[in-house]
Amino acid sequence: MLYDPRLVQPMRDELTRLGVRELRTSDEVDEAFEADGETLVVVNSVCGCAARNARPAVAMAMNHDGKQPDRVVTVFAGQDVEATARARQYFTGVRPSSPSLALLSNGELQFMLERHQIEGREARDIAADLTKAYDRYCATS
């Protein structure tokens, strides 16, 4: 069963206001993930740890003075079922979890924060993990 779109819209807006691009179909996922460069993927969710920790961490990491991914995209678990399932096919060796944050380079998974690594942590600590991954795996500042 899908979540009510009215319920999740504020959760979507929290990311899209930052310039994060929503992916709603498998084709959009493939296009974004297989593009040259680095892609941060936010698997958004209605989970409280998404609102309290993951989405604010993404916002903080987008202000990092160092390297940044070429694009930041999102799929919404429990809403964009096709896109989320396709995105998870790229996360080789990782069980599905939401929220989660994945950094891909040319379609290859480089770094992943799963739900168990997000919940219970402060947004600034998650953002620090992201920016360390950016500095390690991203080519551009």
Side-chain angles (χ1 to χ4, degrees), residues 3-62:
Y3 294 113
D4 182 332
R6 295 170 295 175
L7 169 75
V8 302
Q9 192 60 51
M11 298 167 203
R12 290 179 179 280
D13 293 345
E14 191 173 348
L15 291 175
T16 58
R17 273 194 303 271
L18 299 171
V20 177
R21 179 177 161 220
E22 288 187 304
L23 307 177
R24 301 234 178 162
T25 69
S26 295
D27 288 341
E28 289 176 341
V29 169
D30 289 338
E31 178 186 320
F33 288 18
E34 293 175 7
D36 288 340
E38 295 79 32
T39 305
L40 177 69
V41 183
V42 180
V43 179
N44 202 354
S45 84
V46 298
C47 168
C49 58
R52 189 172 44 256
N53 310 66
R55 290 190 299 264
V58 169
M60 290 176 195
M62 289 178 86

Side-chain angles (χ1 to χ4, degrees), residues 60-89:
M60 290 176 195
M62 289 178 86
N63 292 316
H64 176 52
D65 288 335
K67 295 179 180 178
Q68 289 281 334
D70 295 298
R71 68 202 61 77
V72 181
V73 300
T74 183
V75 295
F76 205 109
Q79 184 81 95
D80 301 327
V81 176
E82 174 191 343
T84 302
R86 182 66 183 133
R88 287 175 170 157
Q89 290 177 354

Side-chain angles (χ1 to χ4, degrees), residues 83-124:
T84 302
R86 182 66 183 133
R88 287 175 170 157
Q89 290 177 354
Y90 285 84
F91 307 155
T92 53
V94 180
R95 292 182 18 201
S97 71
S98 56
S100 60
L101 306 166
L103 183 65
L104 290 90
S105 181
N106 301 318
E108 297 289 323
L109 182 65
Q110 301 297 320
F111 175 81
M112 183 90 178
L113 285 174
E114 300 172 68
R115 179 182 176 144
H116 71 88
Q117 297 166 304
I118 294 171
E119 62 187 344
R121 295 181 65 213
E122 295 292 323
R124 72 176 177 275

